[in-house]
């Protein structure tokens, strides 16, 4: 069953709690949810969450692939300009992965 798109923010909050209280089962569920809800409108938000929590690093490859496959749509989204301005290191990493 698909989780509503609005749940990206809620899932980010749950990731924070799962990390803070070392709740591995909840973190696993959050990983699955983040992968299942990723789309061109929330991928940048999810990438920021994954970057912040090392426990999510295993899904970064999937997000990188999604980013690469949907690059042309993602960069015309309004969030892209703000993402570039506020996350230069992440943008650099994404573009390096994109070039591979």
């Amino acid at each position: 069953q698909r989780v509503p798109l609005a749940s990206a923010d809620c899932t980010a909050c749950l990731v924070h709690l799962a990390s803070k209280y070392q709740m591995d089962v909840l973190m696993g569920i959050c990983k699955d949810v983040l992968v299942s809800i990723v789309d061109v409108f929330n991928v940048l938000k999810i990438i920021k969450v994954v970057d912040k929590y090392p426990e999510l690093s295993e899904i970064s490859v999937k997000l990188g692939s999604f980013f690469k496959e949907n690059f042309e749509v993602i960069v015309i989204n309004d969030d892209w300009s703000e993402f570039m301005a506020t996350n230069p290191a992440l943008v650099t990493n994404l573009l390096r992965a994109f070039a591979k």
Side-chain angles (χ1 to χ4, degrees), residues 43-44 47-48 60 63-65 67-68 71 74 80 83 87-100:
V43 66
L44 299 176
I47 287 171
K48 287 193 287 189
S60 62
L63 291 174
S65 296
F67 180 84
K68 190 172 183 177
F71 178 76
I74 294 168
W80 177 246
F83 184 80
N87 302 282
L90 269 177
V91 172
T92 300
N93 291 341
L94 282 170
L95 295 177
R96 282 185 181 146
F98 187 82
K100 289 182 181 179

Side-chain angles (χ1 to χ4, degrees), residues 7-45:
S7 71
D9 289 327
C10 293
T11 306
C13 291
L14 289 173
V15 165
H16 173 74
L17 292 173
S19 177
K20 182 175 182 176
Y21 296 108
Q22 300 175 355
M23 301 168 71
D24 296 336
V25 173
L26 179 58
M27 186 62 78
I29 293 168
C30 290
K31 287 178 194 177
D32 293 342
V33 169
L34 290 172
V35 169
S36 72
I37 65 171
V38 69
D39 63 25
V40 295
F41 302 105
N42 66 14
V43 66
L44 299 176
K45 183 177 293 186

Side-chain angles (χ1 to χ4, degrees), residues 5 12 35 46 48 84:
L5 294 177
V35 169
I46 293 172
K48 287 193 287 189
M84 285 193 320

